[in-house]
């Protein structure tokens, strides 16, 4: 999708000084940006607040990031919101997060309508509380015919579980004669991942300085460019996002080949 330049300029009108929209090559905007939204707890703790306040503040950062993604003209914007390992957190925090996912989704539906955003989920939703699942389904139904950017929310997502699930489905199809084992190639695997049909991320951003994937999109990130910032997720704004995309545009992506001169 090509960005609406007028809207993008308005959106980025108050430059903070160290980065400007002029540095962005509008013809080389990534198609798919993915973010590991990390650091909510530390953001709250540093302010003497309960961790839950960090998650609440993180919702505002997410709303801005969705808008920025639309303004930049992305095809796909995905975020890691809750991992298969995050169930290990105190029950109170898990409950708060599940509640926050449901209320946020309802609150943001007008934005998705206004910006023609289509919702998608990555992960096993079966294990989520009933109310969260109902609201997620409503979000899917209400945005199903939107033709703009896809916003993919990874909830109860774990890459190893995703790959095991794909392997299971392939094994069943082979066992029951619907698929020949010799036809199992990368495309067959990709089509059985939660991300089926989506392009792989061009750029992965992780906030809060952690240098790990935490079980996120192990298959899909094979040739993705990584960008890690120390900024904690609730502080991540449109300017941080722009810095990441400008840095991405300065990279030389070779995909195993050689640089063309
Ligand atoms: C990310 O922030 C949000 C979720 C994982 C749901 P954290 O809650 O991981 O924040 P830190 O890493 O403890 O600061
Ligand atoms: C990764 O963050 C998961 C999400 C952002 C949803 P974590 O905070 O759970 O990751 P670790 O535990 O630091 O690896
Ligand atoms: Mg964390």
């Amino acid at each position: 999708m090509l960005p609406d330049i007028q809207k993008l300029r308005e959106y980025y009108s108050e430059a903070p000084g160290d980065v400007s929209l002029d540095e962005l090559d509008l013809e080389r905007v990534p198609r798919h940006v993915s973010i590991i939204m990390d650091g909510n707890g530390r953001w709250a703790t540093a302010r003497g607040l309960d961790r839950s306040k960090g998650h609440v503040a993180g919702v505002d950062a997410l709303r801005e990031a969705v808008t920025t993604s639309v303004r930049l003209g992305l095809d796909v914007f995905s975020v890691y919101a809750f991992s298969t390992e995050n169930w290990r957190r105190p029950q109170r925090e898990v409950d708060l997060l599940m509640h926050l996912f449901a209320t946020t989704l309802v609150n943001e539906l007008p934005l998705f309508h206004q910006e023609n955003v289509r919702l998608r989920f990555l992960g096993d939703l079966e294990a989520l509380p009933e109310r969260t699942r109902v609201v997620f389904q409503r979000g899917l139904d209400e945005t199903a015919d939107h033709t703009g950017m896809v916003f993919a929310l990874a909830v109860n997502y774990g890459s190893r579980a995703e790959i095991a699930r794909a392997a299971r489905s392939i094994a069943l199809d082979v066992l029951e004669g619907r698929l020949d084992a010799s036809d199992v190639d990368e495309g067959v695997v990709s089509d059985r991942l939660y991300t089926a049909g989506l392009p792989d991320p061009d750029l992965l951003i992780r906030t809060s300085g952690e240098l790990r994937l935490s079980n996120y999109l192990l298959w899909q990130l094979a040739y993705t460019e990584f960008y890690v910032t120390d900024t904690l997720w609730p502080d991540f704004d449109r300017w941080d996002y722009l810095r990441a995309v400008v840095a991405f545009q300065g990279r030389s992506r070779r995909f195993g080949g050689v640089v063309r001169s």
Side-chain angles (χ1 to χ4, degrees):
M1 255 166 273
L2 276 179
D4 179 326
I5 299 182
Q6 183 61 33
K7 278 191 180 169
L8 186 63
R9 293 222 170 275
E10 270 168 37
Y11 187 67
Y12 273 112
S13 54
E14 290 157 43
D18 68 314
V19 63
S20 122
L21 195 57
D22 298 335
E23 293 173 61
L24 188 73
D25 179 348
L26 290 169
E27 287 176 3
R28 287 180 49 245
V29 167
R31 275 184 83 192
H32 180 177
V33 174
S34 194
I35 303 187
I36 300 178
M37 309 183 288
D38 200 8
N40 292 352
R42 277 163 282 172
W43 183 91
T45 306
R47 286 165 177 72
L49 302 170
D50 186 75
R51 290 176 57 84
S52 61
K53 297 288 188 294
H55 297 313
V56 171
V59 171
D60 293 332
L62 179 55
R63 184 181 311 108
E64 177 155 338
V66 169
T67 307
T68 307
S69 303
V70 172
R71 291 288 163 270
L72 288 172
L74 303 193
D75 292 339
V76 183
F77 175 55
S78 55
V79 294
Y80 203 8
F82 192 90
S83 74
T84 45
E85 289 72 35
N86 286 147
W87 297 107
R88 294 177 189 155
R89 295 188 178 203
Q91 190 60 42
R92 202 176 140 263
E93 181 168 344
V94 170
D95 290 346
L96 178 273
L97 284 166
M98 292 301 151
H99 171 74
L100 210 53
F101 295 148
T103 49
T104 301
L105 206 79
V106 173
N107 293 342
E108 301 310 323
L109 276 174
L111 173 70
F112 299 155
H113 286 305
Q114 183 195 312
E115 301 293 352
N116 195 20
V117 168
R118 185 149 48 97
L119 196 60
R120 176 139 174 192
F121 293 97
L122 313 177
D124 177 10
L125 304 186
E126 295 283 309
L128 304 184
E130 169 80 8
R131 181 176 124 75
T132 308
R133 265 189 295 139
V134 167
V135 169
F136 280 10
Q137 190 56 49
R138 183 176 150 205
L140 286 174
D141 294 341
E142 286 199 22
T143 65
D145 57 1
H146 288 176
T147 54
M149 185 185 82
V150 171
F151 172 48
L153 194 61
V155 179
N156 193 21
Y157 175 87
S159 200
R160 289 183 168 183
E162 174 187 45
I163 292 169
R165 175 177 169 271
R168 221 161 31 240
S169 127
I170 290 169
L172 259 180
D173 279 358
V174 170
L175 197 68
E176 292 171 6
R178 289 184 293 269
L179 182 67
D180 202 296
S182 60
D183 288 334
V184 177
D185 58 11
E186 294 181 13
V188 169
V189 177
S190 289
D191 286 347
R192 287 161 202 254
L193 301 178
Y194 291 118
T195 48
L198 301 179
D200 288 339
D202 299 293
L203 169 64
L204 174 79
I205 300 170
R206 183 162 186 158
T207 57
S208 86
E210 305 296 353
L211 298 169
R212 56 176 169 265
L213 287 178
S214 305
N215 202 10
Y216 190 52
L217 302 180
L218 303 181
W219 171 280
Q220 298 87 339
L221 296 174
Y223 272 103
T224 302
E225 295 295 326
F226 289 10
Y227 179 90
V228 175
T229 171
D230 286 336
T231 302
L232 303 174
W233 177 249
D235 291 327
F236 188 88
D237 63 13
R238 68 192 75 182
W239 299 102
D240 295 302
Y241 202 147
L242 183 62
R243 282 182 201 99
V245 175
V246 166
F248 162 82
Q249 291 185 332
R251 307 272 179 89
S252 160
R253 300 184 79 188
R254 292 189 283 279
F255 299 99
V258 289
V259 195
R260 270 168 287 159
S261 53

